[in-house]
Amino acid sequence: MSDTAPLPAPEPKRSLMGYWVLLLVFMLVLGAMAVGVANVRHQLKSEIKEIEHKLADLGRDQGQRYDDVVEDLEKARYRLENNLNSHQGRLSDIDQRLEEHHKRLQSVTSRSLDERLLTEALLLLKQSNQRLQLEKDILSATTLLTEVEKMLSTATGLAANTEFMSLRQTINRDLTALKLLKPIDKEGLYLQLNSLIDLAPQLPQKPKFESTLDVQADEPLATSGWREWLSEAWLRAKNGLHNYIRLETRSEKIKPLLTEESSQLIELTLRLVLEQAQVALLQGRQGVYTTSLNKADDLLSQYYWDSASLSQYRTTLQQVREANLSQDLPSLSESITLLQRLSEQQAAPVAAPSEAPAL
């Protein structure tokens, strides 16, 4: 066996034709691929252009739609603004009418309160004038007139009324005139006269007929003889003369002799003239008042004994008689006329407010 390795078999020689065929196939494949790529690119370009056209169309459509939407929104906004303005105008009208209704309601309420207040003030004013003219009671009339002024000051709904201001001015003028007068204490004078009436029975007794007979005139003469009968008859005749003859000293004032009935009549007359003076005091009748007290003083001077109590009684009577009941009192007729006219105006019916329009 030989130590040398065998030589490899020689590779078969390839034909060049195969290479050319492979190269041709490869070129064909590359050409096909190029053509395919070109077609694809062309197709892609076409699609891209189509897409661009579509996008352009879509953009135009979107822009048109956007413009349409904007236009529609603008129209809607315009319509809303018009509707809002219209509603606001109606709401303004409604608010204005509601405000008018509210003012009318307040006016009616205030008018009703002011009407009632004026009615009450008119009653007080008439009562004040009655106290002043009939009773001559300055203090009560001033108090009532002051209350009338206080009531009128609370009538806020009439502050702008010229007649109301004229009324208040007239009332304040009358009130000032009353305050300038000196009020008469009629209650004090009345009580003083009442005390004089109560104390009249306590004045010194009037001189009366005296009866000093020990033997009554209607009793029969009880004598045993003609001498005793004659003596007793003379005694009765002597004592009987005391009823008609009375001895007084020339230094004393002679008073008339009165019977018990006459004494009671004079006391009753004194009481009556004092009560008449009380009535004249309440009515403010100066003439009757003075005349009645003068009659009372004449009765005291003529039929009553002089004493310290009588002197004090007549002094008090003189003080009461000096009261001046006749004063120039102001008349409240003008204030009453103005207040009555204003009250009638407030009582006039109020026109009904118009209805608010429907939305």
Side-chain angles (χ1 to χ4, degrees), residues 128-299:
S128 175
N129 190 53
Q130 181 181 3
R131 292 286 182 88
L132 187 63
Q133 300 300 328
L134 298 182
E135 302 177 11
K136 311 298 181 183
D137 191 349
I138 299 175
L139 185 60
S140 297
T142 304
T143 303
L144 291 174
L145 196 57
T146 302
E147 187 64 26
V148 170
E149 170 58 22
K150 288 181 180 179
M151 292 178 64
L152 294 179
S153 64
T154 60
T156 56
L158 299 173
N161 194 322
T162 56
E163 293 188 2
F164 179 71
M165 298 304 296
S166 177
L167 169 65
R168 292 194 62 185
Q169 183 178 0
T170 304
I171 289 179
N172 278 277
R173 182 195 63 193
D174 296 338
L175 185 59
T176 303
L178 285 177
K179 290 180 178 179
L180 292 177
L181 295 175
K182 183 180 180 181
I184 301 173
D185 187 11
K186 290 187 177 182
E187 291 78 5
L189 294 174
Y190 186 90
L191 293 176
Q192 284 184 331
L193 288 174
N194 201 52
S195 299
L196 292 176
I197 293 174
D198 294 338
L199 294 175
Q202 301 180 14
L203 292 176
Q205 294 292 326
K206 287 73 61 181
K208 303 177 183 178
F209 287 113
E210 296 179 357
S211 178
T212 58
L213 289 177
D214 295 333
V215 180
Q216 299 296 328
D218 54 353
E219 293 181 356
L221 296 176
T223 57
S224 57
W226 66 271
R227 292 181 181 274
E228 289 80 4
W229 179 88
L230 183 61
S231 176
E232 186 174 353
W234 168 250
L235 180 60
R236 289 190 176 188
K238 181 181 177 181
N239 291 333
L241 291 177
H242 285 285
N243 294 329
Y244 305 98
I245 301 174
R246 186 182 182 91
L247 299 179
E248 302 284 350
T249 60
R250 296 298 300 273
S251 60
E252 296 180 356
K253 186 176 181 180
I254 300 177
K255 303 286 183 181
L257 299 177
L258 303 174
T259 61
E260 185 66 26
E261 291 78 5
S262 298
S263 176
Q264 293 178 357
L265 182 61
I266 290 173
E267 184 175 333
L268 180 60
T269 303
L270 178 62
R271 181 184 183 90
L272 289 177
V273 294
L274 291 177
E275 290 179 350
Q276 186 179 13
Q278 285 181 318
V279 175
L281 171 66
L282 296 178
Q283 296 178 350
R285 302 170 62 184
Q286 181 68 46
V288 178
Y289 179 77
T290 304
T291 302
S292 300
L293 295 182
N294 288 336
K295 288 182 180 179
D297 189 68
D298 292 340
L299 290 174

